[in-house]
């Protein structure tokens, strides 16, 4: 199984276009939060409409997992905590989203929402406890914020990770946690796109502007993780002990290099998307 991992696209339509072109080459696309952008000049409701259209197209090409990030929150629950109500709507497209667990092959996935207060945090704790009863040997979590005090959450002056996530990892020791949120971590001193807590691998692709987005490819069967920003391409062996720095990609497989030769996919875009971009 090959998984394409992205996060923090923040309503960058060229990056969504690239994602549509790349998706058919993968068994699964994992979108680790922040599809929307609260700082965009495009109305938030329009962003949701457009991103849902992209997700509908994406779900017709491959399996998709989507978790909410802090930029995706569009409502408050009755207790006043911020939630991403719209993300639950994509479940009808066959997309696994906040609160779901699913098995694909020999891998068990759990999708966690962004939590903004004690009630949603408790739901995640309950979700993980219940999911642990049906876990397989390979258990992957999708959780937008990386763990606290990890290079994957280092912002240059302080860590921006989730302290609760550290405790959950210690309790359940999943195989991997797929995150995003801290854009600069992989590109700055003392930061990284990967880490290991106990036996758990943690990933944060980071953010680069332009197309294609920075992304991670997980070659699950061969135990390799590739990090693919522009100009810094690296990989790690998931079956070996943690080593830094990661190795440069010098002999990539043909299926991986083909990602850089995708034709411009703009004709794939639904007609309404261009109109929403101009609004």
């Amino acid at each position: 199984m090959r998984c394409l991992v992205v996060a923090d696209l923040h309503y960058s339509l060229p990056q969504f276009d690239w994602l549509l072109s790349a998706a058919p080459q993968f068994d699964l696309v994992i979108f680790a939060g922040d599809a929307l952008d609260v700082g965009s000049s495009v109305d938030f409701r329009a962003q949701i409409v457009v991103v849902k259209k992209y997700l509908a197209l994406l779900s017709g090409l491959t399996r998709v997992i989507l978790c909410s990030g802090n930029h995706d929150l569009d409502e408050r629950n009755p207790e006043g905590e911020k939630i991403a109500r719209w993300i639950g709507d994509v479940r009808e497209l066959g997309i696994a989203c906040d609160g779901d667990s699913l098995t694909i092959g020999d891998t068990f996935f759990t999708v966690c929402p962004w939590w903004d207060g004690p009630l949603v945090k408790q739901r995640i704790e309950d979700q993980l406890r219940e999911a642990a009863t049906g876990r397989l040997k390979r258990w992957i979590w999708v959780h937008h914020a990386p763990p606290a005090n990890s290079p994957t959450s280092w912002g240059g002056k302080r860590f921006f990770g989730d302290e609760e996530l550290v405790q959950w990892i210690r309790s359940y020791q999943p195989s991997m946690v797929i995150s995003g949120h801290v854009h600069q971590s992989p590109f700055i001193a003392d930061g990284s796109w990967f880490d290991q807590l106990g036996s758990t691998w943690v990933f944060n692709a980071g953010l680069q502007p332009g197309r294609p987005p920075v992304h991670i490819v997980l070659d699950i069967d061969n135990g390799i993780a590739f990090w693919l920003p522009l100009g810094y391409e690296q990989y790690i062996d998931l079956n070996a002990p943690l080593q830094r720095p990661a190795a440069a990609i010098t002999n990539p497989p043909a299926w991986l290099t083909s990602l850089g030769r995708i034709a411009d996919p703009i004709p794939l875009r639904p007609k309404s998307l261009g109109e929403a971009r101009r609004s």
Side-chain angles (χ1 to χ4, degrees):
M1 180 167 59
R2 293 176 187 152
C3 305
L4 176 60
V5 175
V6 296
D8 300 294
L9 299 195
H10 289 289
Y11 199 66
S12 171
L13 299 191
Q15 293 187 352
F16 275 98
D17 291 338
W18 179 90
L19 189 59
L20 286 179
S21 290
Q25 301 187 56
F26 295 92
D27 303 297
L28 173 67
V29 169
I30 299 175
F31 198 141
D34 278 2
L36 308 181
D37 187 358
V38 297
S40 173
S41 61
V42 178
D43 181 84
F44 206 63
R45 292 165 296 181
Q47 290 186 48
I48 291 172
V49 170
V50 171
V51 168
K52 280 184 176 180
K53 290 180 181 291
Y54 273 107
L55 291 172
L57 292 171
L58 195 62
S59 66
L61 300 172
T62 190
R63 298 288 296 268
V64 182
I65 289 175
L66 170 69
C67 80
S68 58
N70 54 304
H71 278 251
D72 298 318
L73 309 176
D74 63 332
E75 282 192 4
R76 291 184 182 270
N77 63 19
E79 295 75 23
E81 297 179 4
K82 293 181 180 179
I83 59 172
R85 182 200 55 78
W86 71 273
I87 281 187
D89 296 342
V90 306
R91 192 175 286 111
E92 66 187 26
L93 301 173
I95 295 173
C97 56
D98 291 354
D100 291 339
S101 289
L102 71 156
T103 300
I104 302 176
D106 59 357
T107 305
F108 189 53
F109 295 88
T110 295
V111 191
C112 302
W114 178 269
W115 65 273
D116 185 58
L119 290 178
V120 178
K121 183 181 76 169
Q122 184 62 52
R123 288 175 193 158
I124 296 175
E125 293 176 351
D126 295 342
Q127 175 188 9
L128 295 176
R129 183 171 58 253
E130 180 180 352
T133 64
R135 67 174 294 175
L136 302 177
K137 183 178 180 181
R138 184 183 296 122
W139 188 13
I140 298 177
W141 300 356
V142 185
H143 183 283
H144 181 61
N149 303 314
S150 162
T152 58
S153 64
W154 177 242
K157 293 184 178 180
R158 67 181 182 90
F159 294 97
F160 291 89
D162 188 329
E163 294 184 1
E164 298 295 332
L165 178 59
V166 176
Q167 300 305 316
W168 296 332
I169 291 173
R170 288 174 178 167
S171 296
Y172 296 108
Q173 288 292 295
S175 306
M176 301 180 194
V177 176
I178 310 298
S179 299
H181 187 52
V182 189
H183 302 167
Q184 66 270 42
S185 294
F187 303 101
I188 60 176
D190 300 320
S192 181
W193 62 276
F194 67 95
D195 195 18
Q196 194 171 35
L197 280 66
S199 60
T200 301
W201 288 102
V202 179
F203 298 103
N204 171 14
L207 182 149
Q208 282 184 322
R211 174 181 172 271
V214 58
H215 51 286
I216 292 171
V217 172
L218 300 174
D219 187 345
I220 299 291
D221 294 337
N222 292 310
I224 302 174
F226 299 92
W227 180 53
L228 299 160
L230 292 175
Y232 300 93
E233 296 85 357
Q234 300 175 354
Y235 77 96
I236 59 172
D237 183 348
L238 300 176
N239 297 315
L242 175 69
Q243 294 183 358
R244 299 191 188 280
I249 300 174
T250 57
N251 189 27
W255 62 265
L256 187 62
T257 59
S258 68
L259 292 177
R261 299 197 299 270
I262 296 172
D264 194 322
I266 287 177
L268 295 176
R269 189 181 302 156
K271 292 181 180 179
S272 60
L273 298 193
E275 296 170 1
R277 172 183 272 171
R278 294 190 295 270
S279 66

